[in-house]
Amino acid sequence: MMEMSKNTKLEIAVEIMAAKIAKSSREGNTIEDEKMKKLITERNEMYKGNEGIINKIINEYGPEIKEKYEQI
């Protein structure tokens, strides 16, 4: 299988992270909660181009978000 470009991976990670933060917010987490602080820190690192975080978002959060949308 062909490797994705860094830009494509970033675009995918941006969408996954937005969905993950929205899901966390709907669960009642606020900006003061540790879970939300962690997500925001990871989001900031993602925008800096941290490939480890980008891969984490795609590989860990991606399947969770995908499962949620498949249930709809």
Side-chain angles (χ1 to χ4, degrees):
M1 184 156 99
M2 195 170 150
E3 182 72 21
M4 277 191 276
S5 73
K6 290 180 182 181
N7 188 48
T8 301
K9 287 175 80 171
L10 177 60
E11 288 178 24
I12 292 168
V14 166
E15 294 299 324
I16 292 169
M17 185 55 82
K20 178 74 174 170
I21 290 172
K23 179 178 180 270
S24 183
S25 179
R26 281 192 307 273
E27 291 170 350
N29 292 300
T30 66
I31 196 75
E32 289 84 27
D33 294 316
E34 286 304 312
K35 182 177 182 179
M36 193 67 87
K37 286 180 183 179
K38 178 183 174 212
L39 290 173
I40 291 169
T41 299
E42 290 175 339
R43 182 192 65 187
N44 292 339
E45 284 298 309
M46 172 193 70
Y47 281 123
K48 291 178 185 176
N50 183 325
E51 287 191 55
I53 293 294
I54 291 169
N55 289 330
K56 176 184 178 183
I57 292 166
I58 292 170
N59 296 322
E60 286 184 32
Y61 301 154
E64 173 189 339
I65 298 303
K66 180 181 177 186
E67 181 181 309
K68 171 102 174 119
Y69 283 99
E70 286 177 343
Q71 294 174 356
I72 296 176

